[in-house]
Amino acid sequence: MNTIILATDGSLHSDAAARFLVDSPLLNRDFVVHVVHCEPDVGGDVKSFIGKADIEAWHHEESGKAMQSVVGILTAANVSHECHELVGFTPEKIVEYAKQVDAAAIVLGSHHHSPLLNAIRGSVCGRILAHSPCPVMLV
C-alpha cells in the first residue's frame, strides 16, 4: 500500500489540503494517508522544571488538536488514514518521516506568506520542497 503524507498545522490551509486530497484522483489508487503534525521541542530550561511525561502529554494534546479537523474530513470521506505525532524542527521531521515510510507524496496547505517574510523566517513548505525525497503538492 502506498503512503501519502498530509502534514497539518491545524489551520484552514491544512483543511483545504485535506479536502483537495479527498477530491483528488490520487486516492483512486491504493493509498493510505498518514496525517502528521509536528510540535517544536521545548527548550532545556523548560525541561529542567517540567517532567518528561508532562511534556509528552502536552505534545500529544497539541498534536491532537491540530490533527482533529483534517482527520474529520478524511473520516467523513472514508479515506484510510493513520495519525502520527512528531516533535522537533518541522521541515526536518516531515522529510525524515517521508523517507522512513517511503512516501509516494507529501501534501501541504500553503499559507502564502510574502517573499520578504519567507526570506526572514524561512518557509516550512520551501524547506520541505528543497529536501523531500518524493513529490510535494502544495495546496
Side-chain angles (χ1 to χ4, degrees):
M1 182 169 284
N2 293 305
T3 300
I4 294 177
I5 295 175
L6 174 58
T8 181
D9 60 2
S11 69
L12 294 175
H13 304 286
S14 295
D15 291 353
R19 282 190 290 278
F20 177 83
L21 192 54
V22 163
D23 295 333
S24 168
L26 278 176
L27 294 181
N28 290 339
R29 298 191 320 213
D30 191 23
F31 282 104
V32 63
V33 176
H34 286 217
V35 178
V36 299
H37 173 73
C38 188
E39 275 294 314
D41 202 2
V42 295
D45 293 342
V46 173
K47 288 180 180 180
S48 63
F49 292 104
I50 299 176
K52 182 179 178 184
D54 289 334
I55 293 170
E56 288 174 355
W58 179 78
H59 281 140
H60 177 69
E61 180 181 340
E62 292 301 306
S63 287
K65 287 183 214 174
M67 290 189 277
Q68 183 177 7
S69 184
V70 296
V71 165
I73 292 166
L74 296 173
T75 301
N78 288 325
V79 173
S80 177
H81 63 278
E82 302 174 2
C83 294
H84 300 276
E85 302 169 4
L86 308 174
V87 176
F89 183 55
T90 300
E92 180 180 290
K93 290 296 181 177
I94 290 173
V95 167
E96 182 179 294
Y97 185 76
K99 290 176 184 175
Q100 176 186 338
V101 299
D102 194 25
I106 299 173
V107 179
L108 303 162
S110 176
H111 288 258
H112 306 294
H113 294 299
S114 73
L116 176 62
L117 187 57
N118 283 342
I120 294 169
R121 281 190 338 172
S123 162
V124 170
C125 290
R127 289 182 174 150
I128 291 172
L129 276 168
H131 301 286
S132 177
C134 59
V136 177
M137 181 181 301
L138 299 179
V139 178

